[in-house]
Amino acid sequence: VFIMSHATDHRIALIGIIAENRDQTDAINALLSEYGDYIVGRMGLPYRDRKLNIISIVMDAPNDQISAL
């Protein structure tokens, strides 16, 4: 997780998620949708050779919300 502070009480955070089990995808998506108001963008990459799914999340949120996720 990379966090950058700026002028407001919000921070910019870059979060990386590596899902090793495809069955985790629905639970991850449900969790991320709970924080959807704070998510600026997300990118998902299936890494088929390693049977992984890699998700990058960019958030603009209060520190407590970033920590909660």
Side-chain angles (χ1 to χ4, degrees):
V1 175
F2 173 77
I3 299 176
M4 183 180 95
S5 189
H6 56 88
T8 69
D9 64 336
H10 281 213
R11 294 175 181 251
I12 304 293
L14 175 62
I15 300 170
I17 301 169
I18 297 176
E20 296 176 325
N21 185 339
R22 202 174 160 99
D23 296 337
Q24 298 170 328
T25 309
D26 289 339
I28 292 169
N29 285 329
L31 180 63
L32 293 177
S33 68
E34 290 179 33
Y35 293 88
D37 291 342
Y38 300 111
I39 294 176
V40 176
R42 66 185 269 184
M43 177 179 60
L45 299 168
Y47 191 175
R48 291 183 184 92
D49 291 347
R50 293 237 176 159
K51 297 183 174 132
L52 298 172
N53 292 299
I54 303 166
I55 304 167
S56 298
I57 307 294
V58 177
M59 293 180 73
D60 185 352
N63 201 42
D64 62 334
Q65 293 298 313
I66 294 168
S67 296
L69 176 60

